[in-house]
Amino acid sequence: MAEILPADRAMDRALALLGAGEVVAIPTETVYGLAGDAMNGEAVARIFEAKGRPRFNPLIAHVCDMAMAERIGVFDPLSRRLAEKFWPGPLTLVLPLREGAGIHPLTTAGLATIALRMPRGFGGELIARLGRPLAAPSANASGRISPTSAAAVAASLGGRIKLVVDGGAAPVGVESTIVKAQEGGLRLLRPGGIAAEEIEAAAGVKLLRGAAGVQAAVQAPGMLASHYAPQASMRLHVGEVRPGEALLAFGPNRVPGWQQAVMMRNLSQSGDLREAAANLFAFLHELDGSGAATIAAEPVPVEGLGEAINDRLSRAAAPRDNGGADA
């Protein structure tokens, strides 16, 4: 099983493993990431191996500062403005890959673009000390619920990796928002930890929704239809709870039949979407462990961070293709 070390004692051990081409589970402000050297093909392959992740789904490369980001991606003025506003933080920018950047093709899934993010805290310090970007999708078996604690990582991947760095509960609780500047504006490829409205205010343009064209499924991580999936099936926007179901609740009011749920977790009793986002994956983990065959989810408003929550729930409920991926 993986060694679990608190973040204040894990830096040297993490650096040694990464330098040897191994992978390490690390805390970030969004969810825990499974990190490997983005320039080392064997390290990136270990990420795919540990997760069981399809190789056509690209990974986010994490950087420690703008100088490192500039060596990897080609910034347009709008992307630069967003980086200055939101980095470090839960925003990923999809940019043209700079020629000679040294990023291994497995990281980009062979695309001519690169997804870049600058994390806060331990992840940013680790990258700065290593001096190389880290590919770091979520630290869970591919297609399953993303981990927001070291315990969740250990439960999913503990037998496949050597180290989990324990930085406590992830404060944001959902993956980063992914956007791409393109001719005609700015496209939202995946809602996430920064609300679309915040990005629109900083960019001065409305976000285009979804991916366009035949490359839609592989422009960025986390875009496969079936994703973030528990073992149980899911029913969304329910009006009642059926016997034997577990209930993912939201807000102060319950749907009929809630008393017969085998387990209930409320994303936010007060209806706070930020609290709900932070609780989402942890509560799905708990409900999935209840033994219920189905998780019933009460409606969550599609506004602010509710857009990201509904996106994750819809992917979790989608027909399973056994090839899920994450970010």
Side-chain angles (χ1 to χ4, degrees):
M1 289 295 292
E3 180 181 17
I4 301 176
L5 290 176
D8 60 359
R9 295 197 290 111
M11 182 62 70
D12 289 344
R13 175 67 171 149
L15 286 170
L17 287 170
L18 291 169
E22 297 288 344
V23 297
V24 175
I26 63 171
T28 80
E29 67 271 50
T30 56
V31 298
Y32 275 66
L34 184 60
D37 183 347
M39 305 174 84
N40 181 331
E42 291 187 7
V44 179
R46 285 192 174 98
I47 294 174
F48 288 122
E49 181 181 21
K51 289 178 62 65
R53 183 188 182 101
R55 264 106 171 132
F56 58 81
N57 200 21
L59 305 177
I60 295 172
H62 294 70
V63 299
C64 60
D65 54 31
M66 279 301 296
M68 181 178 286
E70 293 272 14
R71 293 195 295 270
I72 299 170
V74 179
F75 281 78
D76 58 274
L78 179 54
S79 296
R80 188 180 303 280
R81 184 157 76 245
L82 293 175
E84 291 171 352
K85 171 69 174 178
F86 294 111
W87 280 2
L91 176 69
T92 293
L93 298 170
V94 177
L95 304 166
L97 180 64
R98 188 175 295 280
E99 186 176 354
I103 297 296
H104 194 275
L106 274 181
T107 302
T108 62
L111 299 176
T113 55
I114 182 74
L116 290 181
R117 186 168 94 80
M118 188 187 298
R120 297 183 185 276
F122 182 88
E125 182 182 352
L126 179 65
I127 297 163
R129 293 275 299 274
L130 185 68
R132 298 164 73 85
L134 291 178
S138 55
N140 56 286
S142 187
R144 296 305 175 189
I145 303 167
S146 299
T148 54
S149 68
V153 176
S156 184
L157 296 180
R160 305 181 190 179
I161 62 177
K162 295 183 177 180
L163 176 65
V164 179
V165 179
D166 188 351
V172 175
V174 293
E175 292 87 347
S176 59
T177 304
I178 303 179
V179 299
K180 179 182 180 182
Q182 60 183 55
E183 186 176 353
L186 186 66
R187 186 168 294 277
L188 178 67
L189 297 179
R190 182 185 72 183
I194 298 177
E197 294 85 350
E198 294 182 64
I199 296 172
E200 289 175 336
V205 297
K206 295 289 289 183
L207 283 170
L208 305 170
R209 291 312 204 264
V214 296
Q215 292 297 318
V218 294
Q219 287 196 50
M223 295 181 67
L224 297 182
S226 176
H227 199 42
Y228 316 104
Q231 296 289 341
S233 63
M234 293 197 67
R235 292 197 305 123
L236 305 186
H237 315 297
V238 300
E240 82 290 329
V241 178
R242 300 169 183 168
E245 291 184 327
L247 176 62
L248 183 67
F250 176 80
N253 302 313
R254 299 283 66 77
V255 296
W258 66 269
Q259 299 95 333
Q260 61 188 340
V262 299
M263 178 184 286
M264 182 182 76
R265 292 292 182 267
N266 195 326
L267 291 171
S268 174
Q269 179 67 29
S270 66
D272 183 282
L273 290 171
R274 190 171 296 277
E275 179 185 15
N279 286 331
L280 177 61
F281 289 130
F283 285 1
L284 280 175
H285 271 296
E286 293 180 27
L287 294 175
D288 200 29
S290 71
T294 302
I295 299 170
E298 291 182 344
V300 176
V302 187
E303 59 186 37
L305 288 179
E307 184 175 9
I309 294 169
N310 278 282
D311 173 83
R312 300 308 187 274
L313 289 173
S314 66
R315 294 175 191 273
R320 311 294 166 80
D321 59 9
N322 296 319
D326 35 38

